[in-house]
Amino acid sequence: MNFSDKAHEECGVLGFYDVDGHSVAHEIYHGLYALQHRGQESCGIATNDDGRIHQVKDKGMVNEVFNETNLGSLVGNIGVGHVRYARSNEPRENAQPLVSRYCKGSLTLAHNGSITNVDSLREHLESNGAIFQSTNDTEVIMHLIAIARTTSHSVEAAALSVMDKLEGAYSMILMSPRKLMGIRDPQGFHPLCIGKKGNSYILASETCALDTMRAEFVRDVEPGEIVLIEGTKLTSIKDKCNKKPSLCVFEYMYFARPDSVIDGVSVYETRINTGKLLAKAAPVQADFVMGVPDSGLNFAQGYAMESGIPYGEGLIRNRYTGRTFIKHTQAERVAAVNIKLNALASAVNGKRIIMVDDSIVRGTTCANIIKMLKDKGAKEVHLRIASPPFLFPCYFGTDIPSKKELIANRYSVEEIRKLVGADSLAYLPVTDVNNIGLRKDFGYCSACFTGKYPIKVKAED
Amino acid sequence: MNFSDKAHEECGVLGFYDVDGHSVAHEIYHGLYALQHRGQESCGIATNDDGRIHQVKDKGMVNEVFNETNLGSLVGNIGVGHVRYARSNEPRENAQPLVSRYCKGSLTLAHNGSITNVDSLREHLESNGAIFQSTNDTEVIMHLIAIARTTSHSVEAAALSVMDKLEGAYSMILMSPRKLMGIRDPQGFHPLCIGKKGNSYILASETCALDTMRAEFVRDVEPGEIVLIEGTKLTSIKDKCNKKPSLCVFEYMYFARPDSVIDGVSVYETRINTGKLLAKAAPVQADFVMGVPDSGLNFAQGYAMESGIPYGEGLIRNRYTGRTFIKHTQAERVAAVNIKLNALASAVNGKRIIMVDDSIVRGTTCANIIKMLKDKGAKEVHLRIASPPFLFPCYFGTDIPSKKELIANRYSVEEIRKLVGADSLAYLPVTDVNNIGLRKDFGYCSACFTGKYPIKVKAED
Amino acid sequence: MNFSDKAHEECGVLGFYDVDGHSVAHEIYHGLYALQHRGQESCGIATNDDGRIHQVKDKGMVNEVFNETNLGSLVGNIGVGHVRYARSNEPRENAQPLVSRYCKGSLTLAHNGSITNVDSLREHLESNGAIFQSTNDTEVIMHLIAIARTTSHSVEAAALSVMDKLEGAYSMILMSPRKLMGIRDPQGFHPLCIGKKGNSYILASETCALDTMRAEFVRDVEPGEIVLIEGTKLTSIKDKCNKKPSLCVFEYMYFARPDSVIDGVSVYETRINTGKLLAKAAPVQADFVMGVPDSGLNFAQGYAMESGIPYGEGLIRNRYTGRTFIKHTQAERVAAVNIKLNALASAVNGKRIIMVDDSIVRGTTCANIIKMLKDKGAKEVHLRIASPPFLFPCYFGTDIPSKKELIANRYSVEEIRKLVGADSLAYLPVTDVNNIGLRKDFGYCSACFTGKYPIKVKAED
Amino acid sequence: MNFSDKAHEECGVLGFYDVDGHSVAHEIYHGLYALQHRGQESCGIATNDDGRIHQVKDKGMVNEVFNETNLGSLVGNIGVGHVRYARSNEPRENAQPLVSRYCKGSLTLAHNGSITNVDSLREHLESNGAIFQSTNDTEVIMHLIAIARTTSHSVEAAALSVMDKLEGAYSMILMSPRKLMGIRDPQGFHPLCIGKKGNSYILASETCALDTMRAEFVRDVEPGEIVLIEGTKLTSIKDKCNKKPSLCVFEYMYFARPDSVIDGVSVYETRINTGKLLAKAAPVQADFVMGVPDSGLNFAQGYAMESGIPYGEGLIRNRYTGRTFIKHTQAERVAAVNIKLNALASAVNGKRIIMVDDSIVRGTTCANIIKMLKDKGAKEVHLRIASPPFLFPCYFGTDIPSKKELIANRYSVEEIRKLVGADSLAYLPVTDVNNIGLRKDFGYCSACFTGKYPIKVKAED
């Protein structure tokens, strides 16, 4: 599900350098379709036609912003695409990629993540006379690269020196007149991978974009690495690859598409594993196991495998509801869930159900769904959550409500169970986060559950 | 899946008479969302404000055509809504409901089905001087009712007399200045049901619309019945309820939403049953059973239950692809399936898979999907189709390609297996259509599989 | 000026039959531009591609409704165009041309005028079972032609017989699968002319459309005539050319473009003549004569010629104001005139001014303009109106306010002078209407000034 | 006329500081309507709600970009508006006002003119690490102010110091969180004036905007002056008011609206005077004098006054043609003039005509119009141009074609006469530019006629 009481990813990025000189706009457009789940508020593509930049970006989803005419105007064989999640009422100016002219021609930047020291960086720049036309971290990074370039011998050297100043999460793609670069922060909070189609390299947030573009997966960009693509040549700059990674575990739990493989681990497999762990940790007698579509499905499948309880469907998702659902009255606002989901009476009537979802943020949607199932005759609804409770804010690019809004900070598990109307409620034990099938030789960030932040952050007031 | 090589339903209809005098536009809008799967080309709502009709209709889906402004303009406490499937390049004039002024004021009609003798009816009307502004059957029916009304004492009497002239399929909703009527052809080819919200009656193509509107299901309109709603009073006219029904079996197999119950039978249950029958009829060894999303999922679940082979997921559906996907080159046209679906490598690699879908029309999409699974390492793909082969055209409102285009008319099962690249292929035996859980006291149309049409039709040239 | 307190023409029509088989859509689009002043609410074009009709019509002006894509879709070498004036909130269904299928194929109709007995015609049709999808007179005429055609040997014979039933004003263009017809009511209330480009005939409301299409003027369609175009052949049917014509004089005074020639008389020349008559009838001492742009300009020039008082400009018209001017508050509504017109201070300051306009309907705009001139220092403003006072409603296609709203029915000339703030006020004497240069061998309708209607009309309640 | 072979102004600016705290968006919207002639490609408004900036800007005219919804979102009692002329295919990013965040909060800038040393300024900024997101001069100025502000004690002091660096033409409006400023370059190339409505100050490119807003004219901003508005207080900074002004004479001849008064001189009066001078310098026998609408009208009136030859109309302008005229074929491209203008046959037939226009740039439109007049029977057409020949490029904000494209550089007057098909041709003598009624105590730039640039410019290659 993609209801408003979910945590939100900030962005998806994509870059393509076609060595045969073909226009890349349509290919990037296809790839952005596959990354749409990472951001639905705005999107854009900028292409590079021998140094001359063309761009189209606006509020809206990929199939709303692009059309045959504007894709046709995006001439050029190197390009960068972006999909963006944004808080409501953000200005159109915040859409990415950000295109600038600087001392060495054009510079295009698409960014996924969140710079934790962005305020002090911006203040420092402003005190030296910088101006900002958006509220994006991206524009701050662009300023820093342009300044660094005045004393660096190359754009990649400038980018490398800027990495010393940036704290926090950034998986980004940078395009100069003749180069395409992928840059991932030393902790590697968010994914970034390398693909290849024929002899041409692709950079993308997730491998599912490579599949859609019918390209081959090459490898992930390493935490701290700069990957430099010049025609058929790919160079790696690893000066900053010296920190222990702390990849966001919520990428596996919710953000990423199940068909993606991130840093060597299949998202789908971690979800099946998590479902199994949940079945072991919080078993319960029931007639069938179901997931809340679509976020809970794989977890429920894993729970079914482990428990031996049959897997079934109890909710039908209306696949035609878009972002623009009109709510007339308060009653209709409450009823939005009725339009998006319907309980499958003949499946749930008289049944004891285990219902699995990825997380609870505010709890309202969850309560509506359980009521819907009970109204159709469900005898028991046992709620199983495939992650530990959210207790701490995220500073690295995930839009989780403030501490006060997080239901788990205000209520006990038993209180939440009553609030949502479940017959039982259990979360994934926080100790099990390490057992969902992640790599032992790698580090992960689960600060939203534990409060142990991998880098220093300013505490929430 | 909703690819172009599927059979297509023609329409969904909805009517609401609010006895408390509230505006019905928003309620109908919600209900049409739930019927969107029955037609995505155009939609409309007409409301009745004490005899004065307001209407909004256009090409596009429910969330494209309606907005807060035009819904607000739809004043009135009685209303009719419609969603329409249409062949490409149909004129906007064909959008429904059709609103007319006639001798007794306004008349509004929304229709689902296909009148088999429409050409002779239209010719007869034209020979008497009638003019037609659309190519809809609906306009022909409207003419007939208006003419009948000049000699009938009521609009329902006029409608009743028109039923003697109409052959074929029609589930329709008729609104006069003070009445709302539901009319279903004597064979009852397509569904139409009655709901109630508070004291107000609703008419809808499927019960899922009642759930979305948080209304209660009352009963189905009987084949041949006219249901007349005047305020809180519901009257039934059953003069034409004397034929053996022949409800379309493909409503259960593909068209209807699984959470709907049609003529007393749960769509979901028939799909689970069909999957079980298929497992018995065409068993095969495999590592897991999967459905083509979303059309094959419930069948696959039934197959898994019967066979004991685990149910799994092997394909991820991109939930952001709309109707407006832009295809640049022939290569991209072929690649459309890559944007809509992706194989789940970690689930399918090295596995023997049973893949279930509802039907094969042209076979191209099916072939693409099987190739996708094999490219990701699937060892075997056994295709199971949850319906018998399509061999005969439909004259009752389903847009099935002509005989020549139907793959089953041109190739043997073994040839089709090779064409789509499956390791084995089996269809539901045509004898099993009677065993999927349908009512014994009712009749069904399965002419597309058997060629036995329930009423006389003009043979295809 | 085109402010809302002007009388409004109902429509402009255009037909083109290209004998070389070229697509006519772009040519008709050009011609409609020249007729835009006759109606700005909606417009449309229907083209005939060997009997198959394509159409585009919508609310909006020519440059809003048409674009390269939809013009390209209008295939066919015969076509009909229409621009429409409409009262606010008319349904989109009223846009023309009206396209219907009838017993002999397609029939397309575009109409300018008003049928005075339309209500009884519609009632009679309805009592025989007819249905109506718009509130247009056009649809009534279409029904009558279709019915007549069932007993006539040709569409032109059917049209001829329908002329016996129609009372009132109609200049219309009718297109059947192979014929294009121009039909003008026996009184010839509104203009309709014939042009020729190469060997191809054109029918148009005004000759200015022929100029724009770079075609030659052939002649006017005579009152009562049917002109039938089949390829290069033009046939005339004059059975109904037996009445005394009564062409609307207000076509010369306001509706038509000055560069048009109607029924042998130059619109421009009648306006110059009218100005001269006004100068003779109501002389006054002044520093210069000016017109209210654009409606009063030619009259003012004539006034200047006759009086010897210099012609000048005192008002600047903002040429960028469209129909969509947004009025926020009541104050802004009043201020709309400030955005459309501005007084030319250096021209009017300290001057005695004669200001000429074509008519006064409600008087509000006029009062605003005079105030504007005086605020910029005008010493005296003498208002001269180039038509007699409106005293009677029009039943023939002009949207004049009801008797009660007509300022001249409620106030004396002296009272109106005070209301609008003029230093003197004079109208064209009603006796001078015959002297503006119209033909002696022709008849004219000036019922709005005299109450002498050329045909029987139902009196206003 | 506004055809493409005219010289083009670059922009219009408007600022409003409402001291009563009312929202200024609607007022600015009205004012921009009056300035629309200064730029039709894009427009925008930015408002200041206690330091928080709201903005709407896009390609399109005032009535296309703004609607009730987005005007309603423009909260704030201080605001800046802009209309922009742009060469085709400029990016949307170039629309103004430009809004930035800088060290002291927000900064909003709207600019009319052209900075002659912008390239070296931009290069210097880039060499210090600046980035540019548009190709506007405005963004360069914004950078300079932001940098200057880091060492200045106020935004007005920063702006003053930036004036030392800027060369060329700039009439601009600057808005900081609590101040509104008008800044005019020391030469005063383009106009900028101060108005007052109640106690609230307005800044605008032309006085016609004040009239439209029903405000009073206070005075012009002096060349070199900074006007600082803080609430009801207006302060003047005149440190740079030490140069001889060189106001663009073409503002009087073409750009400005005739109802504007610029630097104490009525635009209308200079045009009347120019027409008179032209009559003296190049008399000819004729039946009447006419202007090309709308640019030549006032000149023609002056010519008529001086010569005693009657003033008349020979061309009708279609007032409904917008920017989006669709040209299908080359023939239609040529025919565009036929849609915009039509000759008034009854006025021109058999007549000797003096036709006056403001200028000739390429000559094509002029030739089309003369042909049109002759086709309608004009016996002679004597072309009089109310400015001397364009011989030199403009560097100060007027988009005149390059030297090579200027017809006067390639052909003699006699050759041009033949090319456009006139019977005689005369320009305003260059010596008469000083006699059109301009102030003796002021300086003017007529470099486009004389090549004598008021400040040093880089010569065209």
Side-chain angles (χ1 to χ4, degrees), chain C residues 68 211 259 326 342 376, chain D residues 68 211 259 266 326 342 376:
Chain C
E68 197 48 65
D211 291 339
D259 47 338
I326 299 165
N342 192 19
K376 289 287 181 186
Chain D
E68 197 48 65
D211 291 338
D259 47 338
S266 156
I326 300 166
N342 192 20
K376 289 287 182 186

Side-chain angles (χ1 to χ4, degrees), chain D residues 133-165:
Chain D
Q133 298 180 40
S134 74
T135 59
N136 270 354
D137 292 4
T138 318
E139 197 178 3
V140 173
I141 302 172
M142 185 72 97
H143 272 280
L144 294 173
I145 295 173
I147 291 166
R149 185 68 178 90
T150 63
T151 55
S152 301
H153 66 284
S154 69
V155 63
E156 58 271 24
L160 191 67
S161 75
V162 167
M163 289 176 78
D164 286 332
K165 299 191 173 165

